Amino acid sequence: MVFQDPYASLNPKQMVGDIVSEPIRNFSNKSMKELKDEVMELLTKVGLPGDAYYKYPHEFSGGQRQRIGIARALALKPKLIVADEPVSALDVSVQSQVLNLLKELQDEFDLTYLFIAHDLSVVKHMSDRIGVMYLGNLVEIADKNSLYAEPLHPYTQALISAIPEPDPRKQKERIILQGDVPSPVNPPSGCPFHTRCPVAKEECSRVKPTLKEVKPGHQVACVLYN
Ligand code: SF4
């Protein structure tokens, strides 16, 4: 797992070498030398200098700390990495470096990412297949191209309409949702989006739609498609 906050997810009392080697120590009997060699290689792979091994987390910037978190996630050679908002706490310029690193590592280690983010440009850059969630519910699942070209769920349509258009000559109609996001502790009855949906029907407050495949590989949870 790679966590959202690179400041809170590394033990400030441990050197980077100990942080990254801990998963390996827990699951193998490697000698100190083997451990150190392996961690050094991981640190190099994520773009950190070798002397990072002997430093503490506070000696690094946010982007570098996230690289340490990525090295730790790679330590056990996983097939799947869950990356929970891994760049949202970073400056925009650093975000692209970390995203490009994740892409390079994906190719090198043949990784699958479950990549959680709220920035739709980042999601588009990183994903092959996307699941859109509202209030803890999956409301639409599709491959990247279908989702961005033809979003079907009203919430996805609103999200995609909010992506800024860099060309000032192009007009874009933005769907602005009214009201606040309800508390997930006490979600609305029926469709969880009905209190804000611009096309809600009377039945939407009673019926909770489930995901239904409306096109090959494209699933939507909305009464409009049931
Ligand atoms: S089920 Fe109703 S409220 Fe929910 S997204 Fe569809 S139209 Fe909107």
Side-chain angles (χ1 to χ4, degrees):
M1 175 125 188
V2 177
F3 298 93
Q4 176 174 7
D5 185 349
Y7 295 89
S9 58
L10 302 175
N11 187 338
K13 293 182 180 172
Q14 281 189 320
M15 285 191 298
V16 169
D18 291 327
I19 291 172
V20 178
S21 65
E22 187 169 6
I24 311 172
R25 282 203 309 276
N26 286 341
F27 289 95
S28 75
N29 293 319
K30 292 189 173 159
S31 67
M32 288 305 287
K33 171 153 190 344
E34 287 172 320
L35 268 178
K36 187 173 174 192
D37 290 348
E38 204 165 320
V39 171
M40 285 292 205
E41 193 182 329
L42 280 168
L43 293 176
T44 309
K45 290 246 184 267
V46 299
L48 289 169
D51 66 351
Y53 190 96
Y54 296 104
K55 291 187 173 175
Y56 289 87
H58 74 268
E59 297 177 79
F60 296 91
S61 65
Q64 287 173 318
R65 289 182 202 213
Q66 208 53 313
R67 287 172 191 265
I68 298 167
I70 293 168
R72 176 176 59 186
L74 287 172
L76 290 177
K77 302 186 173 52
K79 290 183 177 156
L80 170 75
I81 289 186
V82 178
D84 182 11
E85 299 263 16
V87 295
S88 60
L90 306 177
D91 289 346
V92 175
S93 58
V94 181
Q95 283 187 8
S96 61
Q97 294 168 15
V98 173
L99 291 173
N100 289 338
L101 171 67
L102 286 169
K103 282 263 188 193
E104 287 161 23
L105 295 171
Q106 184 171 40
D107 291 341
E108 184 172 346
F109 293 97
D110 202 17
L111 293 166
T112 297
Y113 292 133
L114 174 58
F115 190 92
I116 301 158
H118 63 268
D119 181 326
L120 292 173
S121 318
V122 170
V123 171
K124 191 175 185 183
H125 181 66
M126 292 299 292
S127 310
D128 299 312
R129 195 159 168 72
I130 299 172
V132 180
M133 294 192 81
Y134 181 79
L135 221 59
N137 297 269
L138 272 169
V139 297
E140 186 161 2
I141 303 174
D143 71 70
K144 169 171 70 178
N145 292 333
S146 322
L147 193 95
Y148 280 83
E150 195 185 355
L152 297 178
H153 193 279
Y155 179 57
T156 316
Q157 290 167 350
L159 286 178
I160 289 184
S161 81
I163 299 175
E165 170 55 59
D167 185 344
R169 289 164 299 190
K170 286 193 184 160
Q171 294 287 319
K172 189 171 176 187
E173 194 182 330
R174 168 129 193 233
I175 303 167
I176 299 183
L177 297 176
Q178 305 299 323
D180 295 324
V181 180
S183 166
V185 177
N186 186 20
S189 60
C191 171
F193 188 52
H194 86 264
T195 54
R196 306 177 72 207
C197 179
V199 290
K201 301 167 160 215
E202 180 273 327
E203 67 192 283
C204 296
S205 59
R206 289 184 284 106
V207 181
K208 182 169 184 179
T210 52
L211 280 171
K212 188 178 169 200
E213 184 152 328
V214 294
K215 288 196 274 176
H218 196 144
Q219 296 170 276
V220 191
C222 173
V223 296
L224 300 178
Y225 302 95
N226 282 349

